[in-house]
Amino acid sequence: ASVRATVVDTRGRELGCGTHPLDVWQPQEHHAEQSSHQVWRACGAAARAAIAVAGPVVVKGICFAATSSLVVLDVAGNPVPVSQEEAIHGLDHDFDCDPAHVADHGLVRDTMMWMDHRATAVAKDID
C-alpha cells in the first residue's frame, strides 16, 4: 500500500510523480487496518517528492482521492482504535489516542481498509 502524488500542468501533462509507502496491519483473518495519521503524513511526503521531480511550479489546485476506507474518530476528532489488539492491551483512550502522543509514540490503527471484512457475518444477519 502506498500514497501516490502527481504534478500535472494545465494541459494535463505529467511533470513529476512521488510515492510513499503505508503499513497495513492484518492482525486476524478478514481484518485490514491502517493509521490515518500515517496516511496523512504519507500524503505530504508523496506530494513533496512529486514537486521535487517537477521542479519549481505554481500550484493551482490539489486533489485527494482514496479507496474506500473507514476512519473512526471520536466527537473531538481524536483517532479511535479499530484494532481488537489495541483494545485488548487496554490502551487508555484519553492518553494513547491524543494526537501529540500518537506523533511521539506510535500510530493508532483507526482505519478499516476496503478489504476488511470482519463485519460480513453481522451484515448477513441484518440482511
Side-chain angles (χ1 to χ4, degrees), residues 25 27-28 31-37 72 79-93 95-98 101-102 105-112 118:
W25 291 275
Q28 300 179 44
H31 289 222
E33 304 164 353
Q34 289 184 308
S35 163
S36 65
H37 183 75
V72 182
V80 175
V82 298
S83 172
Q84 290 177 337
E85 184 179 271
E86 287 180 312
I88 289 170
H89 288 93
L91 295 179
D92 174 23
H93 178 78
F95 179 73
D96 291 301
C97 293
D98 176 72
H101 177 77
V102 170
H105 297 94
L107 303 169
V108 174
R109 292 181 250 167
D110 62 345
T111 305
M112 288 184 190
R118 68 183 77 183

Side-chain angles (χ1 to χ4, degrees), residues 1-24:
S2 65
V3 170
R4 295 152 311 276
T6 304
V7 176
V8 296
D9 66 14
T10 56
R11 293 190 173 131
R13 292 179 297 204
E14 184 179 296
L15 302 178
C17 290
T19 63
H20 195 80
L22 294 171
D23 293 319
V24 175

Side-chain angles (χ1 to χ4, degrees), residues 59-94:
V59 176
K60 293 188 176 187
I62 297 176
C63 174
F64 289 96
T67 305
S68 296
S69 295
L70 172 68
V71 178
V72 182
L73 305 173
D74 66 16
V75 296
N78 296 312
V80 175
V82 298
S83 172
Q84 290 177 337
E85 184 179 271
E86 287 180 312
I88 289 170
H89 288 93
L91 295 179
D92 174 23
H93 178 78
D94 292 332

